Amino acid sequence: NTYEMVQDMEIAGERSYVVNGSIKIAVEYIKSLKKSARPPFLLLHGWQGIGSVWKRFGVLDHIHEHHDCILMDARGHGKSSKPHTVEAYSRKNIVGDIAAVLDHFQIKKAILWGYSMGAMNSYLMVCDLPDRIHALVAGGFPPIKSGSGHAEYMTQLTAKMKDDPKAWIKMMLQFEGVSLPSDFDDFDPEALSACIVTPYPDVEMAVIRTIEEQQIPVYFYLGLGEEERMVTGLKRVEATMKKRGKKVDCTYRYIDKLTHVEVWQHNES
């Protein structure tokens, strides 16, 4: 089964906290199996995820042989601090958290791999701190602004979480024979609502220009079962970059039939 969760969690690293102002960010540093000078991966999960989900979906099996990997719980998630104000999840703070993690491990540049919310946060890094990015892997959300009904939709969705805080994760983890892992116990509906209700800014052209100017290699991937605006958005980005004619190492992968959730579970990306 392509979407079967990786049940063995023996890939383990050193867990710690990184401090950014009053916020603590939970991280896990996993050293590569082979000593290598290759740049490390910093993996950014999606909304209602946690850092260890990258293990469960088998991603580390493909990259940690030659790359150190850093898993972080985004603010509002997992073991990290969970402020309840919308202002706490500002662009400045999100970028600051990622930079603080890199600084903590004395990493000048990393390969950012973000999915969904993690992809959007990685685009903010591209715009604000491109000199910290060696390469970018971005899935589940192209660099387009949120839809016009984003705030209303997310408000309604997070309201449902008051009755069942794990409703979204339970849906995401509906695999045959797989139960909800115990490490998803740290849900805070108020924090999760605050972190997602604000629409993402329109950074499409800024991301394109920065990728071109800084020559940042990028691998975009998306399921064709996504909502239409996501698919058309990534195809528009691809067409724009081709039309501009700049020599940039960009790959676009459209995964047949898979939905937003299924692509994250698809560990062959």
Side-chain angles (χ1 to χ4, degrees), residues 5 12 20 28 34 44 58 60 63 65 82 85-86 123 137 141 163 177 181 186 189 192 196 203 208-209 216 223 236:
M5 258 195 200
N20 181 25
E28 182 177 2
K34 298 180 180 178
L44 310 175
L60 263 62
I63 61 176
E65 182 175 3
K82 301 177 180 66
T85 64
V86 173
Y123 300 141
V137 182
F141 211 123
D163 295 326
D186 299 302
L192 291 170
I196 201 69
V203 297
I208 289 173
R209 286 192 296 267
I216 299 173
R236 183 177 65 247

Side-chain angles (χ1 to χ4, degrees), residues 91 123-124 126-128 130 143 201-214 216 244:
R91 174 173 178 165
Y123 300 141
L124 300 182
V126 168
C127 294
D128 296 355
D202 185 357
V203 297
E204 185 171 331
M205 286 309 303
V207 167
I208 289 173
R209 286 192 296 267
T210 305
I211 288 171
E212 292 174 343
E213 293 168 2
Q214 301 292 325
I216 299 173
R244 288 167 66 88

Side-chain angles (χ1 to χ4, degrees), residues 82-251:
K82 301 177 180 66
H84 287 181
T85 64
V86 173
E87 294 75 20
Y89 300 90
S90 67
R91 174 173 178 165
K92 178 181 178 181
N93 288 337
I94 296 300
V95 170
D97 289 346
I98 298 171
V101 171
L102 295 177
D103 291 343
H104 178 81
F105 293 108
Q106 300 182 328
I107 297 169
K108 293 182 178 179
K109 286 190 174 186
I111 303 171
L112 293 190
W113 187 340
Y115 191 78
S116 191
M117 181 188 78
M120 292 305 297
N121 291 343
S122 72
Y123 300 141
L124 300 182
M125 279 291 291
V126 168
C127 294
D128 296 355
L129 294 175
D131 58 325
R132 307 301 301 271
I133 302 174
H134 179 82
L136 173 65
V137 182
F141 211 123
I144 61 175
K145 64 180 180 180
S146 301
S148 58
H150 174 87
E152 181 180 359
Y153 170 76
M154 295 311 301
T155 299
Q156 293 174 352
L157 179 59
T158 53
K160 295 178 181 178
M161 291 162 47
K162 293 181 180 180
D163 295 326
D164 185 359
K166 299 178 183 178
W168 175 257
I169 285 294
K170 285 180 179 177
M171 184 273 287
M172 191 179 79
L173 300 181
Q174 288 301 310
F175 297 103
E176 182 178 354
V178 177
S179 58
L180 190 69
S182 60
D183 52 4
F184 280 89
D185 285 339
D186 299 302
F187 276 66
D188 184 329
E190 294 295 330
L192 291 170
S193 176
C195 85
I196 201 69
V197 72
T198 302
Y200 275 93
D202 185 357
V203 297
E204 185 171 331
M205 286 309 303
V207 167
I208 289 173
R209 286 192 296 267
T210 305
I211 288 171
E212 292 174 343
E213 293 168 2
Q214 301 292 325
Q215 289 292 296
I216 299 173
V218 183
Y219 182 99
F220 293 109
Y221 65 104
L222 193 72
L224 290 177
E226 283 275 10
E227 59 180 293
E228 184 61 25
R229 74 180 188 90
M230 296 291 193
V231 178
T232 57
L234 183 54
K235 289 183 176 180
R236 183 177 65 247
V237 169
E238 181 178 6
T240 299
M241 295 193 73
K242 288 181 178 178
K243 185 176 180 180
R244 288 167 66 88
K246 307 290 185 180
K247 290 185 177 180
V248 185
D249 182 7
C250 280
T251 300

Side-chain angles (χ1 to χ4, degrees), residues 1-7 45-57 77 115-117 157 164-176 178-181 183-184 187 259-266:
N1 187 334
T2 305
Y3 314 116
E4 204 169 289
M5 258 195 200
V6 176
Q7 292 299 297
H45 61 76
W47 185 58
Q48 284 210 28
I50 55 176
S52 66
V53 77
W54 295 99
K55 296 181 186 181
R56 295 187 176 279
F57 292 159
H77 296 73
Y115 191 78
S116 191
M117 181 188 78
L157 179 59
D164 185 359
K166 299 178 183 178
W168 175 257
I169 285 294
K170 285 180 179 177
M171 184 273 287
M172 191 179 79
L173 300 181
Q174 288 301 310
F175 297 103
E176 182 178 354
V178 177
S179 58
L180 190 69
D183 52 4
F184 280 89
F187 276 66
T259 65
H260 187 78
V261 172
E262 290 170 335
V263 170
W264 198 14
Q265 299 158 358
H266 188 78

